[in-house]
């Protein structure tokens, strides 16, 4: 009985630590859990700058019919062009794009030249698009699976010009059509926002810097002044690297959730989602076993301890040793669910799913551990037939230290 009481007391201490973490996250971590307000309603600029959308595309023939026409159909008041970079596709991506454009002069298809040593595949394709774009006022880096609502580019430019933003990024609404998408995707966005609170990204002087690779409107002069894409040439997680590059060069950034920018890429099976997240989770941890252990421990403390402590407190009884575990665990679990509910509502899902977030967090912990296993097996960063270089450096790419913590497990670019 003494042993059981001592065990409950240990769980109670851990629950208090978890509660302290959730009190900080809920009330002092940049309001990461809020899903609004989105882009401001900005006035028209005095002069509409030229915009060139750069679309890196590797084997994207299947998804382009749902996305490329939405870009070409934008009725932007200024000069607007699309540069699609065919990155050594084997599925007829360039031909599909040409057929969809049907002679529209707004589309330029550029075959990517041979990738130089030291460049990540997507960043090289982006650089090829920049080379072909000329000197527009803004570059819109966007993925091939991203669809745009009418007027989306117009709204992006209004907000960037009015807010004097050098980087304005929109996190696309991801697919939640399948059961596993509804389990994994809202948590992915929630964890991403926990690691990079959007309001801190937009705050001048704050160290937090990030972007969402599906939609990044960048002032060309700011990118050039920061050293260009060459500075992040080996970045596996290109969007966060670009956000850090621009912000540390003095650029003004903004990141929002968006309903006007939508990903059309489906992830019908758990294996598809698992591969996307495991692809880069260990890279985000700088291939460090110490950071891996700290991240998994953080996930267990913040997400697993509260429900375990709640259960232990109920079993032990509300009086005596069970009271601290029940009170701290229950409150921490309630705060966790309350901060997750807005993201579920954003995706049109019931807030009743929120208490199950600990199970999803354990799934993410398993994906992170698997990412490390794949790296040790020489398959780290594998994507579309390419594998990231062994032990790919992160110091120069990300211009400094990574933040570590529970949210690191979530950071994989769903593209």
């Amino acid at each position: 009985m003494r042993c059981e009481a001592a065990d409950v007391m240990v769980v109670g201490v851990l629950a208090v630590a978890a509660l302290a973490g959730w009190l900080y996250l809920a009330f002092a971590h940049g309001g990461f859990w809020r899903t609004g307000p989105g882009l401001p309603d900005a006035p028209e600029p005095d002069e509409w700058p030229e915009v060139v959308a750069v679309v890196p595309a590797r084997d994207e023939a299947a998804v382009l019919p749902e996305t490329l026409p939405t870009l070409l159909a934008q009725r932007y008041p200024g000069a607007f062009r699309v540069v699609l970079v065919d990155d050594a596709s084997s599925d007829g991506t360039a031909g599909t794009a040409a057929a969809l454009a049907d002679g529209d002069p707004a589309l330029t298809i550029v075959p990517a030249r041979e990738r130089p040593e030291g460049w990540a595949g997507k960043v090289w394709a982006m650089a090829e698009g920049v080379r072909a774009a000329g000197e527009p006022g803004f570059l819109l880096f966007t993925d091939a699976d991203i669809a745009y609502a009418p007027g989306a580019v117009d709204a992006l430019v209004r907000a960037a010009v009015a807010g004097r933003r050098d980087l304005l990024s929109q996190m696309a609404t991801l697919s939640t059509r399948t059961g596993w998408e509804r389990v994994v995707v809202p948590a992915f966005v929630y964890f991403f926002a926990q690691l990079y609170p959007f309001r801190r990204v937009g705050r001048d002087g704050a160290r937090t810097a990030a972007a969402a690779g599906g939609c990044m409107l960048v002032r060309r002069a700011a990118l050039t002044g920061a050293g260009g894409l060459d500075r992040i040439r080996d970045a596996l997680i290109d969007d966060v690297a670009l956000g850090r590059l621009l912000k540390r060069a003095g650029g003004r950034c903004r990141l929002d959730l968006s309903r006007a920018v939508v990903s059309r890429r489906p992830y019908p099976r758990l294996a598809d989602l698992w591969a996307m997240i495991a692809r880069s989770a260990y890279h985000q941890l700088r291939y460090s076993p110490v950071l891996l252990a700290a991240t998994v421990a953080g996930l267990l403390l913040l997400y697993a301890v509260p429900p375990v402590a709640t259960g232990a407190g109920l079993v032990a009884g509300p009086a005596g040793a069970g009271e601290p575990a029940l009170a701290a665990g229950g409150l921490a679990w309630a705060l966790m669910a309350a901060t997750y509910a807005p993201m579920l509502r954003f995706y049109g899902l019931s807030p009743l799913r929120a208490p199950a977030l600990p199970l999803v967090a354990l799934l993410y912990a398993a994906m992170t551990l698997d990412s490390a296993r794949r790296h040790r097996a020489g398959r780290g960063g594998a994507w579309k037939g390419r594998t990231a270089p062994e032990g790919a450096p992160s110091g120069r790419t990300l211009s400094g230290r990574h933040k570590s913590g529970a949210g690191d497990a979530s950071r994989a670019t769903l593209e």
Side-chain angles (χ1 to χ4, degrees):
M1 187 65 104
R2 283 184 190 170
C3 181
E4 290 179 2
D7 291 343
V8 174
M9 288 182 64
V10 170
V11 172
V13 171
L14 291 173
V16 170
L19 175 59
W22 279 109
L23 286 169
Y24 165 77
L25 289 171
F27 300 109
H29 193 55
F32 79 94
W33 45 271
R34 296 173 181 157
T35 57
L39 286 180
D41 187 12
E44 290 191 10
D46 294 334
E47 183 178 349
W48 289 93
E50 181 183 3
V51 178
V52 175
V54 174
V55 185
R58 179 175 171 85
D59 293 336
E60 300 285 9
V63 76
L64 281 178
E66 297 184 63
T67 59
L68 183 58
T70 69
L71 262 180
L72 295 175
Q74 293 292 310
R75 295 295 178 257
Y76 178 67
F80 178 69
R81 296 181 290 123
V82 179
V83 174
L84 184 139
V85 181
D86 181 20
D87 186 14
S89 298
S90 59
D91 67 345
T93 288
T96 299
L100 290 168
D102 192 23
D104 188 338
L107 176 67
T108 301
I109 300 173
V110 177
R113 296 174 298 175
E114 184 176 354
R115 178 167 53 106
E117 184 177 355
W119 282 77
K122 183 180 176 183
V123 182
W124 174 244
M126 291 165 63
E128 289 288 83
V130 171
R131 179 178 64 87
E135 297 188 356
F138 284 93
L139 295 157
L140 175 59
F141 294 109
T142 182
D143 290 342
D145 67 307
I146 299 298
Y148 287 79
V153 174
D154 181 328
L156 285 167
V157 174
R158 286 172 186 255
V161 172
R164 296 180 292 108
R165 301 291 177 179
D166 299 297
L167 167 62
L168 197 156
S169 182
Q170 297 273 276
M171 173 162 279
T173 300
L174 305 174
S175 172
T176 52
R177 290 180 233 172
T178 69
W180 280 115
E181 287 173 338
R182 290 190 285 272
V183 169
V184 174
V185 165
F188 165 79
V189 182
Y190 174 86
F191 290 145
F192 178 82
Q194 188 178 99
L195 183 58
Y196 305 108
F198 291 4
R199 284 164 177 74
R200 289 186 180 176
V201 170
R203 189 183 306 158
D204 294 341
R207 296 186 61 185
T208 304
C215 173
M216 300 185 293
L217 184 71
V218 179
R219 199 179 296 271
R220 184 192 57 80
L223 179 59
T224 301
L229 293 177
D230 179 74
R231 293 287 304 277
I232 60 167
R233 60 181 177 271
D234 59 356
L236 180 62
I237 305 173
D238 57 276
D239 45 9
V240 174
L242 182 59
R244 285 176 173 157
L245 174 69
L246 289 170
K247 195 161 189 182
R248 291 177 183 180
R252 303 189 71 239
C253 304
R254 183 182 177 108
L255 174 60
D256 297 279
L257 288 173
S258 176
R259 296 189 186 280
V261 181
V262 180
S263 173
R264 297 300 186 194
R265 190 180 303 283
Y267 294 92
R269 303 174 303 154
L270 175 60
D272 302 317
L273 290 157
W274 190 292
M276 293 304 97
I277 294 167
R279 178 175 69 94
S280 58
Y282 198 43
H283 173 88
Q284 177 70 6
L285 298 175
R286 292 182 286 170
Y287 306 106
S288 167
V290 174
L291 288 179
L292 175 66
T295 295
V296 173
L299 282 167
L300 293 176
L301 175 65
L302 286 173
Y303 293 95
V305 165
V308 169
T310 302
L314 288 172
V315 170
E323 186 174 358
L326 178 60
L331 183 53
W333 197 2
L335 284 171
M336 179 199 315
T339 60
Y340 188 41
M343 190 63 68
L344 290 168
R345 284 195 292 267
F346 179 85
Y347 276 95
L349 300 173
S350 171
L352 295 177
R353 291 172 172 261
L357 183 58
L359 297 176
V360 187
L362 291 177
L363 189 63
Y364 271 85
M367 294 173 183
T368 303
L369 290 168
D370 188 50
S371 179
R373 181 192 65 80
R374 293 180 185 215
H375 174 75
R376 290 180 62 87
R379 296 189 292 115
W383 178 241
K384 293 196 175 183
R386 290 178 176 147
T387 302
E390 183 73 16
S394 62
R396 178 184 58 75
T397 295
L398 299 181
S399 306
R401 301 186 324 175
H402 289 263
K403 294 174 68 177
S404 62
D408 280 318
S410 75
R411 182 60 202 131
T413 304
L414 288 174
E415 61 179 9

